[in-house]
PDB file of all heavy atoms in Angstrom:
ATOM      1  N   ILE A   1     274.040   4.313 196.119  1.00  0.00           N
ATOM      2  CA  ILE A   1     275.045   5.377 196.120  1.00  0.00           C
ATOM      3  C   ILE A   1     274.565   6.565 196.944  1.00  0.00           C
ATOM      4  O   ILE A   1     275.367   7.223 197.606  1.00  0.00           O
ATOM      5  CB  ILE A   1     275.460   5.786 194.688  1.00  0.00           C
ATOM      6  CG1 ILE A   1     276.774   6.588 194.739  1.00  0.00           C
ATOM      7  CG2 ILE A   1     274.397   6.584 193.997  1.00  0.00           C
ATOM      8  CD1 ILE A   1     277.959   5.857 195.276  1.00  0.00           C
ATOM      9  N   ILE A   2     273.278   6.833 196.939  1.00  0.00           N
ATOM     10  CA  ILE A   2     272.764   7.920 197.776  1.00  0.00           C
ATOM     11  C   ILE A   2     272.993   7.599 199.245  1.00  0.00           C
ATOM     12  O   ILE A   2     273.402   8.459 200.022  1.00  0.00           O
ATOM     13  CB  ILE A   2     271.279   8.199 197.445  1.00  0.00           C
ATOM     14  CG1 ILE A   2     271.196   8.895 196.084  1.00  0.00           C
ATOM     15  CG2 ILE A   2     270.625   9.029 198.548  1.00  0.00           C
ATOM     16  CD1 ILE A   2     269.788   9.024 195.530  1.00  0.00           C
ATOM     17  N   GLY A   3     272.774   6.354 199.639  1.00  0.00           N
ATOM     18  CA  GLY A   3     273.075   5.949 201.011  1.00  0.00           C
ATOM     19  C   GLY A   3     274.545   6.107 201.333  1.00  0.00           C
ATOM     20  O   GLY A   3     274.923   6.574 202.418  1.00  0.00           O
ATOM     21  N   ALA A   4     275.402   5.738 200.380  1.00  0.00           N
ATOM     22  CA  ALA A   4     276.842   5.891 200.579  1.00  0.00           C
ATOM     23  C   ALA A   4     277.229   7.358 200.690  1.00  0.00           C
ATOM     24  O   ALA A   4     278.043   7.740 201.536  1.00  0.00           O
ATOM     25  CB  ALA A   4     277.604   5.223 199.433  1.00  0.00           C
ATOM     26  N   VAL A   5     276.635   8.201 199.850  1.00  0.00           N
ATOM     27  CA  VAL A   5     276.906   9.637 199.903  1.00  0.00           C
ATOM     28  C   VAL A   5     276.496  10.204 201.259  1.00  0.00           C
ATOM     29  O   VAL A   5     277.222  11.002 201.864  1.00  0.00           O
ATOM     30  CB  VAL A   5     276.182  10.375 198.746  1.00  0.00           C
ATOM     31  CG1 VAL A   5     276.157  11.878 198.967  1.00  0.00           C
ATOM     32  CG2 VAL A   5     276.826  10.036 197.409  1.00  0.00           C
ATOM     33  N   GLU A   6     275.358   9.776 201.757  1.00  0.00           N
ATOM     34  CA  GLU A   6     274.889  10.248 203.071  1.00  0.00           C
ATOM     35  C   GLU A   6     275.838   9.783 204.185  1.00  0.00           C
ATOM     36  O   GLU A   6     276.134  10.548 205.106  1.00  0.00           O
ATOM     37  CB  GLU A   6     273.462   9.776 203.333  1.00  0.00           C
ATOM     38  CG  GLU A   6     272.427  10.459 202.452  1.00  0.00           C
ATOM     39  CD  GLU A   6     272.381  11.969 202.638  1.00  0.00           C
ATOM     40  OE1 GLU A   6     272.510  12.457 203.776  1.00  0.00           O
ATOM     41  OE2 GLU A   6     272.218  12.678 201.619  1.00  0.00           O
ATOM     42  N   ALA A   7     276.302   8.549 204.098  1.00  0.00           N
ATOM     43  CA  ALA A   7     277.251   8.042 205.104  1.00  0.00           C
ATOM     44  C   ALA A   7     278.561   8.821 205.046  1.00  0.00           C
ATOM     45  O   ALA A   7     279.135   9.173 206.093  1.00  0.00           O
ATOM     46  CB  ALA A   7     277.510   6.551 204.893  1.00  0.00           C
ATOM     47  N   MET A   8     279.035   9.125 203.846  1.00  0.00           N
ATOM     48  CA  MET A   8     280.263   9.905 203.715  1.00  0.00           C
ATOM     49  C   MET A   8     280.067  11.311 204.255  1.00  0.00           C
ATOM     50  O   MET A   8     280.937  11.848 204.952  1.00  0.00           O
ATOM     51  CB  MET A   8     280.715   9.953 202.250  1.00  0.00           C
ATOM     52  CG  MET A   8     281.248   8.627 201.752  1.00  0.00           C
ATOM     53  SD  MET A   8     281.943   8.695 200.080  1.00  0.00           S
ATOM     54  CE  MET A   8     280.516   9.073 199.097  1.00  0.00           C
ATOM     55  N   SER A   9     278.928  11.896 203.970  1.00  0.00           N
ATOM     56  CA  SER A   9     278.632  13.236 204.472  1.00  0.00           C
ATOM     57  C   SER A   9     278.605  13.258 205.995  1.00  0.00           C
ATOM     58  O   SER A   9     279.178  14.150 206.628  1.00  0.00           O
ATOM     59  CB  SER A   9     277.286  13.707 203.910  1.00  0.00           C
ATOM     60  OG  SER A   9     276.953  14.978 204.411  1.00  0.00           O
ATOM     61  N   ALA A  10     277.979  12.260 206.592  1.00  0.00           N
ATOM     62  CA  ALA A  10     277.908  12.177 208.055  1.00  0.00           C
ATOM     63  C   ALA A  10     279.294  12.007 208.675  1.00  0.00           C
ATOM     64  O   ALA A  10     279.544  12.469 209.794  1.00  0.00           O
ATOM     65  CB  ALA A  10     276.992  11.020 208.473  1.00  0.00           C
ATOM     66  N   ALA A  11     280.204  11.383 207.927  1.00  0.00           N
ATOM     67  CA  ALA A  11     281.572  11.170 208.420  1.00  0.00           C
ATOM     68  C   ALA A  11     282.496  12.340 208.057  1.00  0.00           C
ATOM     69  O   ALA A  11     283.687  12.303 208.360  1.00  0.00           O
ATOM     70  CB  ALA A  11     282.130   9.870 207.845  1.00  0.00           C
ATOM     71  N   GLY A  12     281.944  13.359 207.389  1.00  0.00           N
ATOM     72  CA  GLY A  12     282.746  14.510 207.019  1.00  0.00           C
ATOM     73  C   GLY A  12     283.666  14.277 205.832  1.00  0.00           C
ATOM     74  O   GLY A  12     284.631  15.012 205.630  1.00  0.00           O
ATOM     75  N   ILE A  13     283.375  13.269 205.037  1.00  0.00           N
ATOM     76  CA  ILE A  13     284.212  12.929 203.886  1.00  0.00           C
ATOM     77  C   ILE A  13     283.690  13.659 202.652  1.00  0.00           C
ATOM     78  O   ILE A  13     282.510  13.594 202.331  1.00  0.00           O
ATOM     79  CB  ILE A  13     284.224  11.409 203.654  1.00  0.00           C
ATOM     80  CG1 ILE A  13     284.866  10.722 204.851  1.00  0.00           C
ATOM     81  CG2 ILE A  13     284.936  11.057 202.357  1.00  0.00           C
ATOM     82  CD1 ILE A  13     284.746   9.220 204.832  1.00  0.00           C
ATOM     83  N   LYS A  14     284.605  14.350 201.958  1.00  0.00           N
ATOM     84  CA  LYS A  14     284.242  15.105 200.753  1.00  0.00           C
ATOM     85  C   LYS A  14     285.219  14.770 199.639  1.00  0.00           C
ATOM     86  O   LYS A  14     286.241  14.137 199.849  1.00  0.00           O
ATOM     87  CB  LYS A  14     284.313  16.604 201.041  1.00  0.00           C
ATOM     88  CG  LYS A  14     283.366  17.073 202.114  1.00  0.00           C
ATOM     89  CD  LYS A  14     283.542  18.560 202.379  1.00  0.00           C
ATOM     90  CE  LYS A  14     282.632  18.974 203.519  1.00  0.00           C
ATOM     91  NZ  LYS A  14     282.807  20.380 203.854  1.00  0.00           N
ATOM     92  N   ASN A  15     284.893  15.231 198.446  1.00  0.00           N
ATOM     93  CA  ASN A  15     285.777  15.138 197.281  1.00  0.00           C
ATOM     94  C   ASN A  15     286.141  13.708 196.885  1.00  0.00           C
ATOM     95  O   ASN A  15     287.281  13.429 196.541  1.00  0.00           O
ATOM     96  CB  ASN A  15     287.039  15.963 197.494  1.00  0.00           C
ATOM     97  CG  ASN A  15     286.720  17.417 197.753  1.00  0.00           C
ATOM     98  OD1 ASN A  15     285.808  17.962 197.138  1.00  0.00           O
ATOM     99  ND2 ASN A  15     287.440  18.033 198.657  1.00  0.00           N
ATOM    100  N   LYS A  16     285.185  12.814 196.950  1.00  0.00           N
ATOM    101  CA  LYS A  16     285.355  11.453 196.443  1.00  0.00           C
ATOM    102  C   LYS A  16     284.496  11.301 195.194  1.00  0.00           C
ATOM    103  O   LYS A  16     283.444  11.923 195.065  1.00  0.00           O
ATOM    104  CB  LYS A  16     284.927  10.407 197.483  1.00  0.00           C
ATOM    105  CG  LYS A  16     285.637  10.516 198.818  1.00  0.00           C
ATOM    106  CD  LYS A  16     287.114  10.238 198.696  1.00  0.00           C
ATOM    107  CE  LYS A  16     287.792  10.311 200.056  1.00  0.00           C
ATOM    108  NZ  LYS A  16     289.204  10.054 199.996  1.00  0.00           N
ATOM    109  N   VAL A  17     284.924  10.489 194.271  1.00  0.00           N
ATOM    110  CA  VAL A  17     284.134  10.225 193.072  1.00  0.00           C
ATOM    111  C   VAL A  17     282.988   9.295 193.456  1.00  0.00           C
ATOM    112  O   VAL A  17     283.218   8.252 194.077  1.00  0.00           O
ATOM    113  CB  VAL A  17     285.006   9.596 191.964  1.00  0.00           C
ATOM    114  CG1 VAL A  17     284.156   9.217 190.754  1.00  0.00           C
ATOM    115  CG2 VAL A  17     286.126  10.544 191.565  1.00  0.00           C
ATOM    116  N   THR A  18     281.773   9.677 193.084  1.00  0.00           N
ATOM    117  CA  THR A  18     280.597   8.871 193.410  1.00  0.00           C
ATOM    118  C   THR A  18     279.776   8.652 192.145  1.00  0.00           C
ATOM    119  O   THR A  18     279.459   9.593 191.428  1.00  0.00           O
ATOM    120  CB  THR A  18     279.731   9.568 194.480  1.00  0.00           C
ATOM    121  OG1 THR A  18     279.427  10.898 194.046  1.00  0.00           O
ATOM    122  CG2 THR A  18     280.451   9.616 195.818  1.00  0.00           C
ATOM    123  N   ILE A  19     279.459   7.384 191.883  1.00  0.00           N
ATOM    124  CA  ILE A  19     278.717   7.033 190.671  1.00  0.00           C
ATOM    125  C   ILE A  19     277.630   6.026 191.031  1.00  0.00           C
ATOM    126  O   ILE A  19     277.890   5.022 191.692  1.00  0.00           O
ATOM    127  CB  ILE A  19     279.643   6.428 189.601  1.00  0.00           C
ATOM    128  CG1 ILE A  19     280.766   7.422 189.263  1.00  0.00           C
ATOM    129  CG2 ILE A  19     278.848   6.045 188.353  1.00  0.00           C
ATOM    130  CD1 ILE A  19     281.851   6.844 188.385  1.00  0.00           C
ATOM    131  N   GLY A  20     276.428   6.301 190.570  1.00  0.00           N
ATOM    132  CA  GLY A  20     275.303   5.397 190.776  1.00  0.00           C
ATOM    133  C   GLY A  20     274.919   4.710 189.481  1.00  0.00           C
ATOM    134  O   GLY A  20     275.614   4.806 188.467  1.00  0.00           O
ATOM    135  N   PHE A  21     273.786   4.033 189.519  1.00  0.00           N
ATOM    136  CA  PHE A  21     273.318   3.279 188.359  1.00  0.00           C
ATOM    137  C   PHE A  21     271.803   3.283 188.358  1.00  0.00           C
ATOM    138  O   PHE A  21     271.200   2.822 189.321  1.00  0.00           O
ATOM    139  CB  PHE A  21     273.844   1.837 188.445  1.00  0.00           C
ATOM    140  CG  PHE A  21     273.769   1.084 187.152  1.00  0.00           C
ATOM    141  CD1 PHE A  21     274.855   1.054 186.298  1.00  0.00           C
ATOM    142  CD2 PHE A  21     272.618   0.417 186.783  1.00  0.00           C
ATOM    143  CE1 PHE A  21     274.797   0.351 185.099  1.00  0.00           C
ATOM    144  CE2 PHE A  21     272.546  -0.282 185.590  1.00  0.00           C
ATOM    145  CZ  PHE A  21     273.639  -0.312 184.744  1.00  0.00           C
ATOM    146  N   ASP A  22     271.182   3.828 187.376  1.00  0.00           N
ATOM    147  CA  ASP A  22     269.737   3.820 187.122  1.00  0.00           C
ATOM    148  C   ASP A  22     269.214   5.155 186.610  1.00  0.00           C
ATOM    149  O   ASP A  22     268.128   5.208 186.070  1.00  0.00           O
ATOM    150  CB  ASP A  22     268.879   3.404 188.324  1.00  0.00           C
ATOM    151  CG  ASP A  22     268.935   1.918 188.611  1.00  0.00           C
ATOM    152  OD1 ASP A  22     269.241   1.137 187.693  1.00  0.00           O
ATOM    153  OD2 ASP A  22     268.675   1.530 189.764  1.00  0.00           O
ATOM    154  N   ALA A  23     269.943   6.245 186.814  1.00  0.00           N
ATOM    155  CA  ALA A  23     269.515   7.568 186.342  1.00  0.00           C
ATOM    156  C   ALA A  23     268.136   7.940 186.872  1.00  0.00           C
ATOM    157  O   ALA A  23     267.231   8.304 186.128  1.00  0.00           O
ATOM    158  CB  ALA A  23     269.575   7.644 184.816  1.00  0.00           C
ATOM    159  N   THR A  24     267.988   7.857 188.190  1.00  0.00           N
ATOM    160  CA  THR A  24     266.711   8.179 188.825  1.00  0.00           C
ATOM    161  C   THR A  24     266.606   9.674 189.118  1.00  0.00           C
ATOM    162  O   THR A  24     267.620  10.379 189.207  1.00  0.00           O
ATOM    163  CB  THR A  24     266.552   7.416 190.153  1.00  0.00           C
ATOM    164  OG1 THR A  24     267.577   7.847 191.057  1.00  0.00           O
ATOM    165  CG2 THR A  24     266.616   5.911 189.947  1.00  0.00           C
ATOM    166  N   PRO A  25     265.386  10.164 189.308  1.00  0.00           N
ATOM    167  CA  PRO A  25     265.222  11.575 189.680  1.00  0.00           C
ATOM    168  C   PRO A  25     265.984  11.947 190.957  1.00  0.00           C
ATOM    169  O   PRO A  25     266.539  13.049 191.049  1.00  0.00           O
ATOM    170  CB  PRO A  25     263.709  11.717 189.875  1.00  0.00           C
ATOM    171  CG  PRO A  25     263.124  10.682 188.959  1.00  0.00           C
ATOM    172  CD  PRO A  25     264.090   9.518 189.054  1.00  0.00           C
ATOM    173  N   ASP A  26     266.026  11.049 191.924  1.00  0.00           N
ATOM    174  CA  ASP A  26     266.787  11.336 193.148  1.00  0.00           C
ATOM    175  C   ASP A  26     268.268  11.522 192.841  1.00  0.00           C
ATOM    176  O   ASP A  26     268.921  12.407 193.395  1.00  0.00           O
ATOM    177  CB  ASP A  26     266.613  10.216 194.181  1.00  0.00           C
ATOM    178  CG  ASP A  26     265.227  10.210 194.813  1.00  0.00           C
ATOM    179  OD1 ASP A  26     264.531  11.237 194.748  1.00  0.00           O
ATOM    180  OD2 ASP A  26     264.849   9.162 195.372  1.00  0.00           O
ATOM    181  N   ALA A  27     268.802  10.689 191.968  1.00  0.00           N
ATOM    182  CA  ALA A  27     270.210  10.821 191.586  1.00  0.00           C
ATOM    183  C   ALA A  27     270.445  12.153 190.893  1.00  0.00           C
ATOM    184  O   ALA A  27     271.438  12.839 191.159  1.00  0.00           O
ATOM    185  CB  ALA A  27     270.632   9.665 190.682  1.00  0.00           C
ATOM    186  N   PHE A  28     269.524  12.544 190.016  1.00  0.00           N
ATOM    187  CA  PHE A  28     269.672  13.831 189.338  1.00  0.00           C
ATOM    188  C   PHE A  28     269.672  14.980 190.337  1.00  0.00           C
ATOM    189  O   PHE A  28     270.424  15.940 190.191  1.00  0.00           O
ATOM    190  CB  PHE A  28     268.567  14.026 188.301  1.00  0.00           C
ATOM    191  CG  PHE A  28     268.631  13.061 187.148  1.00  0.00           C
ATOM    192  CD1 PHE A  28     267.483  12.668 186.500  1.00  0.00           C
ATOM    193  CD2 PHE A  28     269.845  12.548 186.692  1.00  0.00           C
ATOM    194  CE1 PHE A  28     267.528  11.798 185.419  1.00  0.00           C
ATOM    195  CE2 PHE A  28     269.908  11.668 185.618  1.00  0.00           C
ATOM    196  CZ  PHE A  28     268.743  11.295 184.985  1.00  0.00           C
ATOM    197  N   GLN A  29     268.843  14.874 191.363  1.00  0.00           N
ATOM    198  CA  GLN A  29     268.815  15.927 192.375  1.00  0.00           C
ATOM    199  C   GLN A  29     270.152  15.992 193.113  1.00  0.00           C
ATOM    200  O   GLN A  29     270.687  17.078 193.350  1.00  0.00           O
ATOM    201  CB  GLN A  29     267.661  15.706 193.363  1.00  0.00           C
ATOM    202  CG  GLN A  29     267.507  16.823 194.367  1.00  0.00           C
ATOM    203  CD  GLN A  29     267.249  18.173 193.713  1.00  0.00           C
ATOM    204  OE1 GLN A  29     266.474  18.286 192.766  1.00  0.00           O
ATOM    205  NE2 GLN A  29     267.914  19.214 194.203  1.00  0.00           N
ATOM    206  N   TYR A  30     270.703  14.855 193.467  1.00  0.00           N
ATOM    207  CA  TYR A  30     272.013  14.826 194.131  1.00  0.00           C
ATOM    208  C   TYR A  30     273.100  15.389 193.214  1.00  0.00           C
ATOM    209  O   TYR A  30     274.017  16.059 193.677  1.00  0.00           O
ATOM    210  CB  TYR A  30     272.360  13.403 194.578  1.00  0.00           C
ATOM    211  CG  TYR A  30     271.877  13.093 195.971  1.00  0.00           C
ATOM    212  CD1 TYR A  30     270.522  13.048 196.278  1.00  0.00           C
ATOM    213  CD2 TYR A  30     272.774  12.862 197.005  1.00  0.00           C
ATOM    214  CE1 TYR A  30     270.077  12.784 197.557  1.00  0.00           C
ATOM    215  CE2 TYR A  30     272.344  12.581 198.292  1.00  0.00           C
ATOM    216  CZ  TYR A  30     270.988  12.556 198.560  1.00  0.00           C
ATOM    217  OH  TYR A  30     270.542  12.301 199.849  1.00  0.00           O
ATOM    218  N   MET A  31     272.985  15.125 191.926  1.00  0.00           N
ATOM    219  CA  MET A  31     273.948  15.681 190.977  1.00  0.00           C
ATOM    220  C   MET A  31     273.832  17.205 190.944  1.00  0.00           C
ATOM    221  O   MET A  31     274.840  17.913 190.957  1.00  0.00           O
ATOM    222  CB  MET A  31     273.736  15.081 189.587  1.00  0.00           C
ATOM    223  CG  MET A  31     274.123  13.606 189.508  1.00  0.00           C
ATOM    224  SD  MET A  31     273.625  12.823 187.965  1.00  0.00           S
ATOM    225  CE  MET A  31     274.825  13.532 186.845  1.00  0.00           C
ATOM    226  N   LYS A  32     272.602  17.717 190.911  1.00  0.00           N
ATOM    227  CA  LYS A  32     272.387  19.162 190.897  1.00  0.00           C
ATOM    228  C   LYS A  32     272.956  19.821 192.152  1.00  0.00           C
ATOM    229  O   LYS A  32     273.428  20.951 192.109  1.00  0.00           O
ATOM    230  CB  LYS A  32     270.899  19.474 190.767  1.00  0.00           C
ATOM    231  CG  LYS A  32     270.336  19.185 189.397  1.00  0.00           C
ATOM    232  CD  LYS A  32     268.836  19.424 189.355  1.00  0.00           C
ATOM    233  CE  LYS A  32     268.278  19.051 187.991  1.00  0.00           C
ATOM    234  NZ  LYS A  32     266.806  19.145 187.948  1.00  0.00           N
ATOM    235  N   GLU A  33     272.895  19.101 193.271  1.00  0.00           N
ATOM    236  CA  GLU A  33     273.409  19.620 194.540  1.00  0.00           C
ATOM    237  C   GLU A  33     274.915  19.411 194.685  1.00  0.00           C
ATOM    238  O   GLU A  33     275.496  19.785 195.702  1.00  0.00           O
ATOM    239  CB  GLU A  33     272.673  18.948 195.703  1.00  0.00           C
ATOM    240  CG  GLU A  33     271.188  19.293 195.756  1.00  0.00           C
ATOM    241  CD  GLU A  33     270.417  18.464 196.771  1.00  0.00           C
ATOM    242  OE1 GLU A  33     271.032  17.680 197.530  1.00  0.00           O
ATOM    243  OE2 GLU A  33     269.174  18.587 196.791  1.00  0.00           O
ATOM    244  N   GLY A  34     275.542  18.783 193.691  1.00  0.00           N
ATOM    245  CA  GLY A  34     276.984  18.550 193.741  1.00  0.00           C
ATOM    246  C   GLY A  34     277.397  17.404 194.644  1.00  0.00           C
ATOM    247  O   GLY A  34     278.562  17.280 195.006  1.00  0.00           O
ATOM    248  N   LYS A  35     276.465  16.533 194.985  1.00  0.00           N
ATOM    249  CA  LYS A  35     276.748  15.413 195.890  1.00  0.00           C
ATOM    250  C   LYS A  35     277.051  14.106 195.153  1.00  0.00           C
ATOM    251  O   LYS A  35     277.545  13.160 195.754  1.00  0.00           O
ATOM    252  CB  LYS A  35     275.556  15.172 196.816  1.00  0.00           C
ATOM    253  CG  LYS A  35     275.237  16.318 197.741  1.00  0.00           C
ATOM    254  CD  LYS A  35     274.007  15.976 198.567  1.00  0.00           C
ATOM    255  CE  LYS A  35     273.605  17.086 199.482  1.00  0.00           C
ATOM    256  NZ  LYS A  35     272.376  16.739 200.237  1.00  0.00           N
ATOM    257  N   LEU A  36     276.723  14.048 193.862  1.00  0.00           N
ATOM    258  CA  LEU A  36     276.899  12.835 193.070  1.00  0.00           C
ATOM    259  C   LEU A  36     277.535  13.223 191.741  1.00  0.00           C
ATOM    260  O   LEU A  36     277.100  14.182 191.100  1.00  0.00           O
ATOM    261  CB  LEU A  36     275.544  12.155 192.835  1.00  0.00           C
ATOM    262  CG  LEU A  36     275.523  10.840 192.085  1.00  0.00           C
ATOM    263  CD1 LEU A  36     276.289   9.751 192.838  1.00  0.00           C
ATOM    264  CD2 LEU A  36     274.087  10.386 191.838  1.00  0.00           C
ATOM    265  N   ASN A  37     278.576  12.495 191.347  1.00  0.00           N
ATOM    266  CA  ASN A  37     279.289  12.830 190.115  1.00  0.00           C
ATOM    267  C   ASN A  37     278.616  12.311 188.856  1.00  0.00           C
ATOM    268  O   ASN A  37     278.659  12.967 187.815  1.00  0.00           O
ATOM    269  CB  ASN A  37     280.722  12.294 190.158  1.00  0.00           C
ATOM    270  CG  ASN A  37     281.513  12.928 191.268  1.00  0.00           C
ATOM    271  OD1 ASN A  37     281.769  12.292 192.285  1.00  0.00           O
ATOM    272  ND2 ASN A  37     281.887  14.191 191.110  1.00  0.00           N
ATOM    273  N   ALA A  38     278.017  11.126 188.926  1.00  0.00           N
ATOM    274  CA  ALA A  38     277.430  10.543 187.721  1.00  0.00           C
ATOM    275  C   ALA A  38     276.487   9.411 188.093  1.00  0.00           C
ATOM    276  O   ALA A  38     276.507   8.897 189.215  1.00  0.00           O
ATOM    277  CB  ALA A  38     278.528  10.007 186.806  1.00  0.00           C
ATOM    278  N   THR A  39     275.679   9.045 187.119  1.00  0.00           N
ATOM    279  CA  THR A  39     274.841   7.863 187.215  1.00  0.00           C
ATOM    280  C   THR A  39     274.831   7.229 185.819  1.00  0.00           C
ATOM    281  O   THR A  39     275.217   7.863 184.847  1.00  0.00           O
ATOM    282  CB  THR A  39     273.417   8.196 187.712  1.00  0.00           C
ATOM    283  OG1 THR A  39     272.670   6.986 187.881  1.00  0.00           O
ATOM    284  CG2 THR A  39     272.681   9.116 186.760  1.00  0.00           C
ATOM    285  N   ILE A  40     274.426   6.002 185.744  1.00  0.00           N
ATOM    286  CA  ILE A  40     274.397   5.288 184.476  1.00  0.00           C
ATOM    287  C   ILE A  40     272.943   5.059 184.090  1.00  0.00           C
ATOM    288  O   ILE A  40     272.168   4.519 184.877  1.00  0.00           O
ATOM    289  CB  ILE A  40     275.122   3.924 184.576  1.00  0.00           C
ATOM    290  CG1 ILE A  40     276.526   4.078 185.142  1.00  0.00           C
ATOM    291  CG2 ILE A  40     275.126   3.219 183.227  1.00  0.00           C
ATOM    292  CD1 ILE A  40     277.479   4.910 184.333  1.00  0.00           C
TER     293      ILE A  40
END
């Protein structure tokens, strides 16, 4: 999902629901930055 978020960012795409799986520290950082909506 982080790769997908980066691809969307590079394409100028915003305001999409993004959800990952694993609850990793990297995912938490993306959540804090407002780039990721949730993780499992």
